[in-house]
Amino acid sequence: MRTRFAVVPLVGVGLSLVLAGSTGCSLSYSSKSISDTASSPFEWSSDSSGDTVAYHQDVRDYTYAYVRSGGDRSAFQRGIGNLAEQRGVSNWEEDESTCAGIGAGLRKAALDEGQAREFARDLLGDGSDRLRDVQRGYEAGL
């Protein structure tokens, strides 16, 4: 059985890496800040059938951690850019999965709909066609 890695944010303190295998689970804690994590590479599963879902979840979880930590907007953009680059997404601002993942992260972070809409407009621009993808991700909350 293939071992899979998932990045799970802890509210405002960093990231935990959960390693789940066929024989059990172990948990290790990293005290990296969200900006440190954004600039360091993650290891991703090469299972192509789950790549889109895994990427969406990574973006969701990164967005959640950012919102909960109250970080710098430019650091958030760099972090999302790094996640996207690792997945071969060259223009994350125009990528449906990235924007939907951001919306899901905003919902997970308990922003109300108005706050989420404002965040998305500040991030993508008021006239962006991808605002609807952020909204869709927010509504789905996945």
Side-chain angles (χ1 to χ4, degrees):
M1 178 175 214
R2 177 182 203 158
T3 301
R4 300 193 60 102
F5 294 89
V7 177
V8 181
L10 292 175
V11 177
V13 293
L15 297 173
S16 290
L17 181 64
V18 178
L19 170 62
S22 61
T23 60
C25 296
S26 66
L27 176 70
S28 67
Y29 172 74
S30 169
S31 62
K32 284 185 172 184
S33 73
I34 193 166
S35 60
D36 292 339
T37 302
S39 62
S40 66
F42 293 103
E43 296 205 19
W44 307 107
S45 165
S46 61
D47 180 7
S48 63
S49 65
D51 276 351
T52 301
V53 172
Y55 174 63
H56 173 87
Q57 291 170 342
D58 292 339
V59 170
R60 178 200 61 203
D61 293 344
Y62 183 82
T63 302
Y64 167 79
Y66 165 80
V67 170
R68 299 304 293 182
S69 71
D72 174 78
R73 183 70 48 103
S74 62
F76 175 75
Q77 291 172 317
R78 283 190 308 274
I80 292 294
N82 288 339
L83 287 173
E85 184 179 313
Q86 292 168 8
R87 292 298 179 121
V89 176
S90 60
N91 187 3
W92 66 264
E93 297 94 340
E94 293 299 321
D95 181 69
E96 179 181 346
S97 185
T98 305
C99 293
I102 290 170
L106 297 174
R107 172 90 177 245
K108 185 176 179 179
L111 267 63
D112 67 37
E113 198 168 338
Q115 292 169 319
R117 192 174 13 260
E118 182 179 331
F119 182 96
R121 283 185 186 137
D122 288 348
L123 183 65
L124 300 169
D126 205 18
S128 174
D129 291 336
R130 291 294 161 205
L131 292 174
R132 70 181 179 283
D133 296 324
V134 174
Q135 179 68 31
R136 183 178 51 78
Y138 179 87
E139 289 171 358
L142 301 173

